[in-house]
Amino acid sequence: MDTSAFLSDLTSQRDYSGQIAHVEHIPPRASEYGKLEKPLLPALQGRLKERGFVRLYIHQAEAVNQTRQGHNVIIATASASGKSLCYNIAVAEALLADPTARALYLFPTKALAQDQLRALRELAYPDLFNLDDIATFDGDTPSAERGEIRKNARIVLSNPDMLHVGILPNHQTWSRFLRHLKYVVVDEAHTYRGVFGSHVACVLRRLRRLCHRYGADPQFILSSATIANPGEHAERLTGLPFTVVDRDGSPHGGKDFVFWDPPIIDKAKSTRRSANTEATNLFTGLVSRGIRSLTFARTRRLTELIYVYSRRRLAEADPALSERIKPYRAGYLPQERRQIEQALFNGHLIGVVATTALELGIDIGDLDATVLTGYPGSIASTWQQAGRSGRRRSWSLSFLIGLDGPLDQYLMRHPEAFFQKGFEHALVNPANPYILREHLLCAAWEMPLSKDDEKFLGATMSQETAELEKQGLLRERHGRWYLSTSVAYPAQGVNIRSTFGQDFALVNTATNSLLETVESSVAFFQVHPGAIYLHQGESYLVSKLDLTNHIAYAGPTTATYYTQTKELTDLRIIKVKQEKSAGPVKVYLGDVEVTTTVVAYRKKAQFTEHVLGEEPLDLPPQRYTTVALWFDLPARATAQVVQRQLDFAGGLHATEHAAIGILPLFALCDRNDIGGLSTPLHPDTGKAQIFIHDGYPGGIGIAEKGFDLISELWQATLKVVTECPCEDGCPSCIQSPKCGNNNKPLDKKAARLLLEGLVGKTVPVSRPEPSR
């Protein structure tokens, strides 16, 4: 596409108000080819040539060479760089050489597995493998076909969920497959982080344990987007040493990457026009010109809202065009998602509004433009989303719209922090006691535990096994631990994508049918009584939340508002694990208990976001133990806050908000993965504290990363506060959309003094003005 012409057109429009904060011109990149240490088998070489793969890029050749040498390999390169060919060549070569060998491919989503099944069959059938040699095995696989797949398939494409709940607990029926398992491929490995990644790490260790039982020791091949610690991440996921291949030799078309900052509509408050409005304008502008586009939104609700706004706007100009866009997100039924993917691939749809569900490598055809509504939370995810356009080497356009948040606005003012900064670290914690205990029970169901299993399940296995024995869930006999007879099929009760238990079913009361499922961790925030829930652009009013049976009931509504919860948080220190001095204060890391209670919800008008009212809620508190960092406040700066008659509690609160908002710049996480608390007098320390904690039971490593980089975090937070043009604080610096106290109290001047004290800047002594 002609990106400069489109941008020129944008800037000449009447409602353009200087939104372009930065344009990064990313030049095209030529191919860099590598060489195999020995030729491929003639049949495989011939098939690759037929498919147009005449030469291998340098990372593809290196990955095949390292795999042939017996190393576990992680390939960490950009989107659309041909990572799948790296493992497909290695697997095909091994299986052609050994007719008994088997391979297991794991993808984070069923849609991606189906997409790769099609690509793999196109490559391998009929010259290399038969159709039934390659098959998917997941929740959508008909029961009648499962036995044949176990018996005949040589390459099984699945996902960690099915491996966890369907394959490993029934390993006896998979014994032939596991005994001959040569390769395990884990695609999109960067997505396995946080809670999900920690669960998957335990699942992969259970797989290795059972393979050992059957006499197999499979090699692992992982593919990942570019992250800061690919080798470490692969080793923490699998418990094995890895060789990293990260020299990307693939070509890429040029890209204009635009940082788009919504215009300020209230200078005193630094209030900006809604990012959703800006996304709608850009998306409809692209679609109306026939430019195939994908717009990303951070949440399911915003995906639906932007779709509704865009459909309305397009319908006013061209009703037919409004039918050529669709929303796409997790929660839709599988057939709905497949229809949308196919319609986008074949060109029937010009545009889609999606959550990160379309961030991964599903082939949806040629796209010219991507619009990112808000920073996705990490540099890796941003490039993944932006890379969905221009995937076929053509020139493309990407927009990153800055939200009213500290991190987004920091990047709008400091684009070099994005374009010149290294990638973040992916964090997993397979030793999280809440997660590990669940998988120890699953492992004991599969095969009694023994001390030798520590080499698979980790050094803390004995400690957690003792705890489970104390709880009566395991029993020891002759040095082996067996599952209690009171526990049956434990994998069924473990949701590996959450630490908060069973999902909620959302039922449409008008048709008495299932609309979708909602994660337990967000149910109190999204499907509480009175909530407005959006599904495929239609609004539903939640009438009842059944906590016993995990069912929410909702009916269609014409309401023109949406809802936002208000919650209260309490935090108690359990144990201090580390402490250090940083600047003039001490910083601590330890275990804490967090209690969150959703107490009310606000009704906000669509488009204007005006608060129409607030309704109380009566929901039980949610308690969990996690990991937090917290720090003291500098005495000199504190004295200055008091002397200048500023609000000390407001300064603490503002510092907490801004620091939480900027922390994802340093750790591969989302703002919603983090919580916080600030208080002028904490009962456990007897002094003022600011806490930042992981938002999940047991912790996933975010607080530890913040503890390690606390000085850099303070520096970046100070920049956010001082550079924001507002007078008293705004969503771009110290206000938080998650705040349960309605962003009160907040004091920006006090926050600046405290942060200057933390980073070691001299806080000038205030002197009384002379009498006049």
Side-chain angles (χ1 to χ4, degrees):
M1 67 174 292
D2 188 344
T3 58
S4 58
F6 182 79
L7 292 176
S8 177
D9 188 31
L10 275 184
T11 56
S12 65
Q13 291 179 7
R14 188 173 55 187
D15 61 349
Y16 178 74
S17 302
Q19 288 100 316
I20 295 179
H22 177 76
V23 180
E24 188 79 8
H25 301 288
I26 301 166
R29 187 179 68 193
S31 306
E32 187 178 1
Y33 295 103
K35 190 174 182 180
L36 294 177
E37 292 172 350
K38 65 177 182 178
L40 294 171
L41 295 173
L44 178 56
Q45 181 69 57
R47 188 63 184 151
L48 288 170
K49 192 172 182 179
E50 287 175 20
R51 299 292 299 164
F53 301 113
V54 180
R55 301 171 68 188
L56 296 181
Y57 301 134
I58 191 167
H59 62 280
Q60 294 172 331
E62 178 66 12
V64 173
N65 289 335
Q66 292 293 335
T67 304
R68 282 170 161 177
Q69 293 172 24
H71 300 141
N72 301 303
V73 174
I74 180 167
I75 307 111
T77 54
S79 298
S81 58
K83 291 187 285 285
S84 60
L85 197 61
C86 300
Y87 53 74
N88 283 337
I89 289 175
V91 168
E93 187 172 54
L95 269 60
L96 288 170
D98 179 2
T100 66
R102 300 290 187 267
L104 176 65
Y105 284 30
L106 298 174
F107 300 92
T109 66
K110 288 185 281 189
L112 198 52
Q114 289 290 341
D115 190 64
Q116 289 297 323
L117 173 68
R118 178 186 55 78
L120 190 54
R121 281 180 170 171
E122 286 177 358
L123 172 66
Y125 176 79
D127 298 352
L128 307 181
F129 299 103
N130 297 321
L131 273 181
D132 59 358
D133 284 338
I134 309 167
T136 56
F137 191 90
D138 55 36
D140 296 339
T141 305
S143 299
E145 298 177 10
R146 295 188 176 195
E148 286 299 310
I149 292 172
R150 285 193 293 265
K151 181 181 176 182
N152 297 321
R154 301 189 62 199
I155 302 176
V156 172
L157 293 84
S158 190
N159 54 65
D161 310 75
M162 179 53 80
L163 178 62
H164 155 67
V165 80
I167 297 176
L168 298 181
N170 302 292
H171 61 88
Q172 295 91 342
T173 62
W174 286 87
S175 59
R176 181 183 177 191
F177 184 88
L178 294 174
R179 185 173 290 112
H180 297 289
L181 190 58
K182 171 71 174 173
Y183 284 115
V184 177
V185 171
V186 182
D187 197 34
E188 306 285 0
H190 64 284
T191 63
Y192 301 121
R193 61 181 191 267
V195 169
F196 184 32
S198 302
H199 273 294
V200 170
C202 291
V203 172
L204 294 177
R205 283 160 167 76
R206 284 164 49 201
L207 171 64
R208 289 181 50 225
R209 175 175 178 259
L210 288 175
C211 286
H212 181 73
R213 152 78 175 76
Y214 289 107
D217 184 19
Q219 264 180 268
F220 280 74
I221 307 175
L222 276 60
S223 76
S224 169
T226 308
I227 54 176
N229 60 332
E232 178 193 49
H233 183 53
E235 289 168 9
R236 289 182 68 82
L237 275 177
T238 63
L240 294 167
F242 267 78
T243 296
V244 176
V245 174
D246 57 3
R247 183 175 169 185
D248 191 347
S250 64
H252 287 285
K255 180 184 287 290
D256 280 343
F257 203 140
V258 182
F259 277 24
W260 185 272
D261 206 11
I264 292 175
I265 55 178
D266 184 332
K267 288 188 177 180
K269 297 179 180 177
S270 194
T271 305
R272 297 179 182 275
R273 196 156 69 197
S274 165
N276 302 335
T277 301
E278 297 294 308
T280 300
N281 292 343
L282 290 171
F283 181 57
T284 54
L286 290 161
V287 169
S288 63
R289 291 167 175 80
I291 299 170
R292 287 169 48 77
S293 308
L294 178 58
T295 291
F296 286 101
R298 295 286 300 279
T299 66
R300 296 181 180 188
R301 182 178 65 82
L302 289 179
T303 297
E304 298 283 359
L305 279 175
I306 293 170
Y307 167 66
V308 169
Y309 297 165
S310 300
R311 185 180 61 186
R312 259 184 223 158
R313 177 166 299 180
L314 289 170
E316 292 171 1
D318 183 352
L321 208 52
S322 69
E323 299 299 318
R324 298 190 66 187
I325 64 168
K326 282 286 184 183
Y328 181 103
R329 60 177 176 79
Y332 287 173
L333 299 178
Q335 58 267 33
E336 293 175 322
R337 293 202 300 272
R338 298 300 89 77
Q339 289 169 1
I340 297 168
E341 291 161 12
Q342 189 58 38
L344 189 56
F345 181 82
N346 64 29
H348 176 71
L349 293 177
I350 298 178
V352 166
V353 186
T355 58
T356 55
L358 265 184
E359 177 181 313
L360 304 179
I362 299 167
D363 191 350
I364 49 176
D366 297 331
L367 296 177
D368 298 308
T370 38
V371 178
L372 285 59
T373 314
Y375 181 60
S378 72
I379 293 173
S381 286
T382 304
W383 282 114
Q384 279 286 103
Q385 292 182 15
R388 293 302 258 153
S389 59
R391 289 169 64 87
R392 302 288 187 245
R393 308 184 188 183
S394 59
W395 200 276
S396 62
L397 183 62
S398 291
F399 291 92
L400 173 62
I401 302 173
L403 299 184
D404 264 343
L407 182 51
D408 288 59
Q409 288 304 309
Y410 179 84
L411 292 173
M412 290 296 121
R413 288 190 289 269
H414 295 280
E416 73 281 358
F418 176 82
F419 290 108
Q420 298 175 22
K421 184 180 182 292
F423 288 81
E424 307 93 341
H425 290 72
L427 306 175
V428 294
N429 181 17
N432 177 313
Y434 295 90
I435 293 173
L436 179 57
R437 284 174 206 159
E438 291 182 322
H439 288 279
L440 288 174
L441 295 178
C442 295
W445 166 274
E446 293 151 10
M447 186 172 68
L449 296 166
S450 70
K451 287 189 179 296
D452 289 343
D453 289 330
E454 280 195 2
K455 65 181 178 243
F456 300 110
L457 300 170
T460 59
M461 189 197 93
S462 297
Q463 175 186 327
E464 301 307 336
T465 301
E467 178 61 32
L468 291 169
E469 193 175 3
K470 191 187 304 180
Q471 294 174 20
L473 299 174
L474 289 178
R475 51 191 176 82
E476 189 266 341
R477 192 168 73 243
H478 305 305
R480 292 165 73 82
W481 283 265
Y482 296 79
L483 203 61
S484 165
T485 54
S486 64
V487 181
Y489 211 92
Q492 196 74 52
V494 179
N495 179 356
I496 67 171
R497 295 179 188 258
S498 172
T499 56
F500 286 92
Q502 180 186 347
D503 288 349
F504 280 73
L506 181 61
V507 173
N508 182 351
T509 55
T511 60
N512 199 32
S513 61
L514 176 68
L515 267 179
E516 59 179 270
T517 56
V518 179
E519 286 186 19
S520 178
S521 61
V522 297
F524 283 15
F525 306 94
Q526 294 185 1
V527 290
H528 57 79
I532 296 293
Y533 197 88
L534 288 171
H535 178 86
Q536 291 219 356
E538 303 300 327
S539 295
Y540 292 82
L541 175 63
V542 179
S543 56
K544 180 183 176 183
L545 182 62
D546 182 343
L547 300 179
T548 303
N549 297 304
H550 280 239
I551 302 174
Y553 297 90
T557 180
T558 56
T560 57
Y561 62 87
Y562 67 92
T563 48
Q564 188 176 62
T565 55
K566 179 180 179 182
E567 60 272 1
L568 298 177
T569 301
D570 183 42
L571 181 150
R572 302 304 300 264
I573 297 171
I574 298 173
K575 178 185 177 183
V576 178
K577 296 195 292 188
Q578 291 185 57
E579 65 176 76
K580 67 178 182 180
S581 294
V585 302
K586 284 202 167 181
V587 186
Y588 309 87
L589 182 74
D591 297 327
V592 298
E593 182 185 68
V594 178
T595 304
T596 302
T597 309
V598 179
V599 295
Y601 68 93
R602 302 182 192 96
K603 299 177 181 178
K604 288 189 166 184
Q606 292 180 5
F607 302 107
T608 65
E609 302 189 10
H610 175 68
V611 177
L612 303 175
E614 185 170 302
E615 301 290 339
L617 287 170
D618 183 19
L619 294 170
Q622 295 176 300
R623 288 189 179 87
Y624 59 94
T625 301
T626 188
V627 181
L629 72 89
W630 63 97
F631 49 87
D632 300 333
L633 283 305
R636 185 179 176 89
T638 301
Q640 285 299 301
V641 169
V642 174
Q643 186 176 353
R644 298 183 188 186
Q645 298 184 327
L646 301 174
D647 187 337
F648 182 53
L652 294 172
H653 196 192
T655 302
E656 172 215 331
H657 280 184
I660 288 173
I662 207 72
L663 181 53
L665 192 63
F666 301 94
L668 196 51
C669 66
D670 184 88
R671 182 173 181 159
N672 293 324
D673 295 333
I674 320 166
L677 180 80
S678 56
T679 173
L681 183 66
H682 194 273
D684 295 334
T685 65
K687 54 188 174 183
Q689 306 284 183
I690 293 175
F691 294 85
I692 300 174
H693 64 81
D694 285 25
Y696 300 99
I700 51 176
I702 300 171
E704 285 95 330
K705 183 58 66 177
F707 178 81
D708 292 341
L709 302 172
I710 192 67
S711 296
E712 292 95 322
L713 177 62
W714 286 337
Q715 290 278 3
T717 306
L718 177 60
K719 279 187 177 181
V720 164
V721 173
T722 55
E723 292 176 357
C724 185
C726 72
E727 294 177 8
D728 299 317
C730 68
S732 299
C733 57
I734 63 172
Q735 292 178 8
S736 168
K738 286 181 62 183
C739 183
N741 295 316
N742 202 22
N743 283 300
K744 294 178 182 176
L746 291 175
D747 190 318
K748 183 178 179 179
K749 294 183 179 69
R752 180 170 178 172
L753 282 173
L754 294 174
L755 285 162
E756 286 176 342
L758 287 168
V759 303
K761 284 193 174 182
T762 303
V763 180
V765 178
S766 179
R767 303 179 187 279
E769 293 186 8
S771 303
R772 296 191 180 183

